[in-house]
């Protein structure tokens, strides 16, 4: 499959002859720790619109987008049925993540694949994995996590807020209910990313992980 060769880990910082790293000699703009060949990926499946990566965790997957939120729920990239499905962005979102709030869905698999590791953020100690990376064909983003909590499947987090008041309400709910403390300051201008998976505290429960998107090289 082409996907096996489309993602590479970025090279480590090189040392100079005097033992100093390059970053210690000259300022280096922040970049994602992996690179993704989207042209190659989209030869395999044109629905691939992003790649989500969280260092030192199981999260290292392509993200697709369809005309609805059902097609990839139980399908792999090649369209075959599979219980794990594929990570997918809400069909209502702009594929380039230009919306104020973007949602990505994935299954809570018992073997921790897909979004099976998300509920681990219910413990403060797992917040050591506080940064993710979302790469797209045109722009890469660093995602600083700010909240993780359990919510119903009909929660307002799945509604796309239209006013500043609604957005403020969404943030307040997330921060008030978060099971970890991030200490991160969020502004009204920050774009939000929410990752959503099933949870089992009650019927139709969901665990959502919210972060802010920052453009990087």
């Amino acid at each position: 499959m082409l996907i096996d060769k489309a993602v590479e880990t970025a090279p480590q910082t090189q040392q100079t002859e005097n033992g100093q790293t390059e970053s210690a000699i000259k300022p280096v703009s922040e970049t994602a720790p992996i690179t993704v060949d989207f042209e190659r990926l989209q030869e395999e499946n044109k629905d691939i619109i992003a790649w989500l990566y969280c260092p030192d965790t199981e999260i290292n997957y392509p993200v697709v987008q369809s005309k609805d939120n059902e097609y990839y729920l139980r399908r792999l990239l090649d369209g075959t049925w599979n219980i794990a499905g594929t990570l997918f962005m809400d069909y209502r979102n702009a594929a380039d993540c230009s919306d104020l709030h973007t949602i990505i869905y994935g299954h809570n698999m018992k073997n921790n694949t897909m979004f099976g590791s998300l509920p681990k953020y219910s413990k403060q100690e797992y917040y050591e994995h506080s940064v993710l990376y979302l790469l797209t064909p045109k722009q890469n983003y660093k995602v600083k996590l700010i909240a993780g909590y359990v919510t119903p499947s009909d929660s307002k987090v799945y509604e796309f807020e239209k006013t500043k008041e609604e957005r403020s309400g969404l943030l307040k709910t997330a921060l008030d209910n978060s099971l970890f403390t991030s200490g991160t300051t969020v502004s009204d201008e920050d774009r939000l990313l929410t990752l959503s998976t099933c949870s089992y505290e009650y019927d139709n429960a969901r665990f959502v992980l919210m972060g802010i998107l920052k453009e990087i090289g």
Side-chain angles (χ1 to χ4, degrees), residues 4 11 15 22 24 28 34 37 40 60 63-64 69 75 82 86 92 98 100 104 127 143 153 156 160 187 193 208:
D4 296 331
Q15 285 193 329
E22 291 291 344
V28 178
I34 62 172
D37 186 344
R40 177 175 287 186
N60 188 16
V63 179
V64 294
N69 286 343
R75 284 188 175 91
N82 187 284
T86 304
R92 297 167 293 178
S98 59
L100 286 177
I104 296 175
Y127 186 65
V143 185
S153 60
K156 288 189 176 182
F160 291 93
S187 77
L193 174 70
V208 294

Side-chain angles (χ1 to χ4, degrees), residues 168-197:
S168 295
L170 174 68
L171 274 173
K172 185 177 188 307
T173 297
L175 296 173
D176 286 350
N177 289 281
S178 182
L179 298 171
F180 63 79
T181 301
S182 73
T184 301
T185 301
V186 187
S187 77
D188 288 338
E189 306 305 318
D190 285 327
R191 280 180 281 173
L192 302 176
L193 174 70
T194 293
L195 310 180
S196 174
T197 195

Side-chain angles (χ1 to χ4, degrees), residues 4-113:
D4 296 331
K5 299 180 180 179
V7 181
E8 296 182 359
T9 302
Q12 299 297 310
T13 303
Q14 298 296 315
Q15 285 193 329
T16 61
E17 291 181 359
N18 63 6
Q20 290 181 300
T21 62
E22 291 291 344
S23 59
I25 297 173
K26 58 184 179 181
V28 178
S29 60
E30 185 171 7
T31 59
I34 62 172
T35 58
V36 178
D37 186 344
F38 282 102
E39 184 175 349
R40 177 175 287 186
L41 287 177
Q42 290 174 344
E43 289 177 7
E44 181 175 333
N45 186 331
K46 62 179 178 57
D47 289 341
I48 297 174
I49 47 90
W51 193 280
L52 186 66
Y53 173 65
C54 184
D56 301 317
T57 75
E58 297 84 356
I59 297 176
N60 188 16
Y61 299 110
V63 179
V64 294
Q65 187 178 48
S66 184
K67 295 179 180 179
D68 55 48
N69 286 343
E70 300 295 329
Y71 184 81
Y72 284 104
L73 194 62
R74 298 295 182 187
R75 284 188 175 91
L76 300 179
L77 292 175
D78 63 3
T80 57
W81 188 92
N82 187 284
I83 194 169
T86 304
L87 300 188
F88 62 94
M89 185 181 293
D90 195 295
Y91 76 97
R92 297 167 293 178
N93 275 128
D96 62 358
C97 303
S98 59
D99 292 328
L100 286 177
H101 185 202
T102 298
I103 304 175
I104 296 175
Y105 305 91
H107 284 296
N108 182 356
M109 303 303 293
K110 291 182 179 179
N111 62 0
N112 287 329
T113 58

Side-chain angles (χ1 to χ4, degrees), residues 154-171:
D154 59 355
S155 166
K156 288 189 176 182
V157 73
Y158 301 110
E159 300 175 6
F160 291 93
E161 60 279 359
K162 298 179 177 62
T163 66
K164 287 186 176 180
E165 289 75 16
E166 289 174 330
R167 175 181 169 75
S168 295
L170 174 68
L171 274 173

